[in-house]
Amino acid sequence: MSEAAAGTGAKARSAGSAAPAAAAALELRGLQKSYVRGKPVLRAIDLSIAGTGLTAIIGPSGTGKSTLIRCVNRLVEPSGGQVLLDGEDLTALRGRSLRLARRRIGMVFQEYNLVERLTVIENLLCGRLGHVGALRAWLRRFPPADIDRAFELLDAVGLADFAKTRADALSGGQRQRVGIARALMQQPRLLLADEPTSSLDPKTSVEVMELMRGLCAQRGIPVIVNMHDVELARRFAARIIGMSGGRVVFDGPATALTDEHLKQIYGGEGWLA
Amino acid sequence: MDGSRGVAENLTPGTAVRRESHASGQPGSAVRREWQRFTAGERLARFAVYFFVVAAFVLSLGTVEVIPEFLWDAPAQVQDLLVRMWPPDYAHYPASVHAALVETLHMATLGTVIAVLLAVPLGLLAASNVMPSRTVNTVAKLALVTSRSVNSLVWALLFIAVFGPGALAGTLAIAFRSIGFVGKLLGEALEEAHRGPVEALKASGAPWPSLLVFGYWPQVKPAFWALVLLRWDINVRESAVLGLVGAGGIGVALNTAMNLFQWDRVAVVLLAIFAVVIVAEVVVTWVRGRIL
Amino acid sequence: MNEALAGGGSSGKPVPGSRRAFEPDWLARLGWLAAILYVVYAASLLDFTWARFVTGLEQAARFFDRMFPPDFSRWEAVLKGLKESLEIAVLASVGGILLSLPIGFLAARNLMPAWVNWPARAVIALCRTFHPVIVAIIFVKAVGFGALAGILALVIASVGFIAKLFAEAIEEISLKQVEAVRATGASFMNVIAFGVLPQVAARFIGFSTYQFDSNVRNSTMVGIVGAGGIGAPLFVAFQRFDYDVVCAILIAIVAVVFLCEILSNQVKRVFGEAVQDGREPRRG
């Protein structure tokens, strides 16, 4: 996991892109975004994510963490710069090819974003919609392999008994487990998580983070997580990226994050106990 | 120390206020904070609406041609009507009302089915979050407005001119009047759907038909069935009057009885309509309870 | 490539394919089949045939040929009829809205005890039973030919629609907010004003404006049975096959309906903005 931290600032992709484990899975080059002209939310972000560790992005509200994550799978359209997934520039993609690229990126949301009126198993299979035609999905004719994997993932997140429960009957922690399982159904190359624990209580937060880190490490999937909770980030992330004012102001292993850095990221010091 | 700092921060939550005190160059000076529910523009707009409504009401009340004597006469007239209606001529029901009643139900149901088939695509095209093109939205909405602007009786008259009198004209009138209703409300339900699940599916690379099937449909399904049922309910009532202009159904029986001043037969027809409407209402409530 | 890793952790799992994700919903399939069979049956009953459709097209061509150009020569009568229709619609809407507010509240099952909501719901059901035109027939008999019968008929229709949907809207409100207001020690009326009304006000405005539009449309029709407005001249023209006059009147009606719809959309914009707030939270 320390490799991830060591890869800090490595901009150029190493030669031999055939081995994804060695190359950066995700690379951002000069990524910019402004919703209103002249008021950039992201100012030229350069990042590269390699290895299989968990990377946490911390920073004050409104500093562009969510925007950054959403620019990666282009739920938000970047204003400039490049997003490279395994060397392929996602910002250049349109239509079907964008869709195919999105299939390779899993995403977990703050508000879970489950389809509430569908059952848990159906929500999991939603992760395969990129691979299954709409008519087959409508008739619930998913490939048996997908259904098997869905049940395996349900076992893995500890919700095996809830397969046919409607998603709106679940608790917050259970919903987020479903959210993680749905993202993993995609068999993604990369997992994005947008404040996955902000709507959860502390204990559930830890469980969800543990689950996410464990499952992804097992499958060799690098994770990028937006977080509010610095302690949680320290506990689970190998690498921490601190953002402030649309810029990366800290990038290093979790152990290197000091109060000095936090002051720089969040400003002020009164809140530091 | 830390505690007092926190309190000081909490005392000035309104950023506007702080900015104002900076502008005046006196950072501690107390600025009076006012709270108003609406901005000046909003209040003006609201006032304009109130004024307009009152003006329209007063103007209408002043100029409408109502003969007050008729109002005084009303109780006596109603009494006379009831006397003539009682007892209803029940023997008339099996003779000519029943078949017309069944025809009315078929007109309402088939009309609703046709309307839904045509309204779903239009509703999808009219929802701005499903169909991002403003032009397409507008065209679809225009089609829906046209359907709604023409009363079902007028639709009936038009279809009678085309297909001749009868239940066919009535069914098509029901269908074409309902397209606008179903399409508009479906479009609105779609626009009210939560973006989150749809965003999640989009992030997983789902193609747009799958977004419809898994992102939107589960969310609008209850609203969709509710509004289809509501429209069917309305259509049962509407199809009962189309016969007044000759478009089939029980209205024909009503019209005939009224033209002949056979008020006891009118009573039977009205009772039949009443019964079928109540049954429709019960069916709708039952089905809604089952589906939602 | 991750396939191999995917199942890596779980050992001793059930045999693949042994668990079913979805139960086949036979009831739903049967329902769809029944629906299709019904449509075919009903269509045959109502004489939906291709031949009829083709002859209909010829008829339509002749019909449209006679409709154009529209004959506006009797525009004064048209204007007078339209004015009366609008008056009927405005008065009926105001009366209907004023009556619907209390009746709707009384009919809400989550706020009112059964002995209050049952009578209120019965009144609403009675108002909804008959189409406005049929109600107009009865009122024409009761208060004579003219606008009054139309107004009364549409008041009934308005109560049936607005009060019903209003009551349903109240039944759907979040009781958490009501509880919060009640917890502050607010009086019953204050609970209504701050806990209930804010949740349903925008929808009430929506129903009201919708019913106004609907009243405008129906006010042009009640004349068919003698209850005032433009309906009478329209129907007479139809019966005389004066399709060019019909066309002129229809154009006038559609224009008025459009105008009213634009107006009520403006009203909704002014009062209904609160609904849209918070629907799409901004991402930072």
Side-chain angles (χ1 to χ4, degrees), chain B:
Chain B
M1 276 297 266
D2 284 351
S4 66
R5 211 189 123 81
V7 170
E9 286 235 331
N10 283 342
L11 277 177
T12 50
T15 47
V17 176
R18 242 187 287 171
R19 213 174 288 140
E20 229 174 300
S21 59
H22 280 300
S24 64
Q26 292 171 296
S29 76
V31 175
R32 240 194 89 136
R33 280 178 279 181
E34 279 187 34
W35 174 73
Q36 255 162 355
R37 197 167 161 203
F38 303 113
T39 65
E42 280 172 339
R43 264 178 294 148
L44 193 70
R46 276 164 190 252
F47 178 76
V49 171
Y50 293 139
F51 178 80
F52 187 79
V53 169
V54 172
F57 178 67
V58 171
L59 267 177
S60 303
L61 204 61
T63 55
V64 74
E65 281 170 35
V66 170
I67 303 165
E69 286 75 32
F70 280 12
L71 251 184
W72 309 130
D73 195 27
Q77 289 289 336
V78 172
Q79 201 187 358
D80 176 56
L81 188 65
L82 290 178
V83 167
R84 283 163 189 258
M85 279 182 166
W86 201 261
D89 180 7
Y90 292 113
H92 186 57
Y93 179 81
S96 57
V97 178
H98 180 77
L101 194 66
V102 172
E103 191 175 60
T104 293
L105 282 175
H106 283 318
M107 281 163 59
T109 312
L110 199 57
T112 310
V113 171
I114 297 172
V116 168
L117 292 181
L118 295 172
V120 167
L122 281 173
L124 287 172
L125 295 180
S128 56
N129 51 347
V130 177
M131 182 73 217
S133 156
R134 282 292 287 275
T135 330
V136 176
N137 291 159
T138 313
V139 171
K141 278 186 179 154
L142 206 67
L144 295 175
V145 169
T146 312
S147 152
R148 276 179 297 133
S149 305
V150 180
N151 194 290
S152 50
L153 281 167
V154 176
W155 277 119
L157 289 170
L158 293 177
F159 282 114
I160 286 171
V162 172
F163 292 107
L168 177 61
T171 308
L172 291 177
I174 292 284
F176 275 76
R177 171 65 184 80
S178 306
I179 290 172
F181 180 93
V182 177
K184 179 186 189 229
L185 293 185
L186 179 63
E188 286 174 2
L190 285 166
E191 285 181 345
E192 274 169 29
H194 290 292
R195 228 173 41 143
V198 179
E199 193 181 32
L201 299 191
K202 202 193 263 178
S204 76
W208 67 264
S210 294
L211 291 185
L212 285 183
V213 169
F214 273 72
Y216 287 106
W217 171 243
Q219 292 196 56
V220 301
K221 194 161 107 176
F224 172 79
W225 286 117
L227 76 91
V228 168
L229 284 171
L230 176 63
R231 190 63 219 184
W232 180 72
D233 197 17
I234 295 172
N235 283 347
V236 170
R237 283 157 236 256
E238 294 233 311
S239 59
V241 294
L242 295 182
L244 292 175
V245 296
I250 199 165
V252 177
L254 182 67
N255 204 26
T256 314
M258 273 197 327
N259 286 342
L260 300 173
F261 298 106
Q262 294 166 328
W263 290 104
D264 49 350
R265 291 190 173 181
V266 170
V268 168
V269 174
L270 289 181
L271 279 176
I273 294 176
F274 182 76
V276 85
V277 164
I278 296 295
V279 169
E281 185 101 32
V282 169
V283 167
V284 165
T285 314
W286 181 76
V287 174
R288 188 180 301 187
R290 285 294 304 267
I291 286 181
L292 305 190

Side-chain angles (χ1 to χ4, degrees), chain A residues 161-176:
Chain A
D161 296 338
F162 292 87
K164 283 160 196 173
T165 311
R166 256 169 60 154
D168 51 9
L170 299 181
S171 71
Q174 290 170 330
R175 286 181 199 208
Q176 198 57 294

Side-chain angles (χ1 to χ4, degrees), chain A residues 87-100:
Chain A
E88 183 187 13
D89 185 4
L90 302 188
T91 51
L93 300 180
R94 298 198 67 231
R96 185 177 156 81
S97 47
L98 172 63
R99 207 162 63 62
L100 296 185

